[in-house]
Amino acid sequence: QVRLVESGGGLVQAGGSLKLSCAVSGTIFSLTAMNWYRQAPGKQRELVGFITSGGSTKYADSVKGRFTISRDNAKNTVYLQMNSLKPEDTAVYYCNTRMTRDYWGQGTQVTVSS
């Protein structure tokens, strides 16, 4: 069974940085594209970005140049490095992979204070 576990969220001041991790099990991770989503209070879940199995990345315009997604296939882990954080980045962040169905982690809270 595919399992995703996020970690690394927390409270940070505007302009600060956080690095989220998502540990993946139950699949051949090196062949799996991974997505990061976020959901702010009262808003729909939105795609932050993704990384392909080959390491190519793409980002939402709102985070481009500030966030970086990477992966370590030896550790079955995908990362989301978040720099220059803004209060509007406050949300629960989820990692996701899509196979015959969507698999989601439990989410990790990121709060950016102004």
Side-chain angles (χ1 to χ4, degrees), residues 51-65:
I51 185 166
T52 68
S53 58
S56 299
T57 55
K58 191 169 184 180
Y59 302 93
D61 287 344
S62 58
V63 306
K64 203 173 294 182

Side-chain angles (χ1 to χ4, degrees), residues 58-111:
K58 191 169 184 180
Y59 302 93
D61 287 344
S62 58
V63 306
K64 203 173 294 182
R66 300 188 298 122
F67 289 13
T68 302
I69 299 173
S70 61
R71 63 191 300 153
D72 185 336
N73 289 340
K75 295 183 178 180
N76 285 6
T77 301
V78 61
Y79 303 98
L80 178 64
Q81 176 68 48
M82 305 183 293
N83 299 328
S84 302
L85 282 160
K86 305 175 181 179
E88 50 263 44
D89 294 319
T90 294
V92 178
Y93 284 72
Y94 300 89
C95 60
N96 159 272
T97 189
R98 181 163 297 162
M99 299 174 182
T100 55
R101 50 155 282 193
D102 277 312
Y103 292 92
W104 297 92
Q106 83 285 1
T108 186
Q109 176 71 47
V110 172
T111 303

Side-chain angles (χ1 to χ4, degrees), residues 23-63:
V24 181
S25 59
T27 185
I28 304 174
F29 179 74
S30 60
L31 301 181
T32 304
M34 297 297 302
N35 309 304
W36 282 99
Y37 283 80
R38 66 185 181 186
Q39 187 166 20
K43 295 189 176 181
Q44 287 192 328
R45 195 170 293 189
E46 64 173 354
L47 179 65
V48 173
F50 64 82
I51 185 166
T52 68
S53 58
S56 299
T57 55
K58 191 169 184 180
Y59 302 93
D61 287 344
S62 58
V63 306

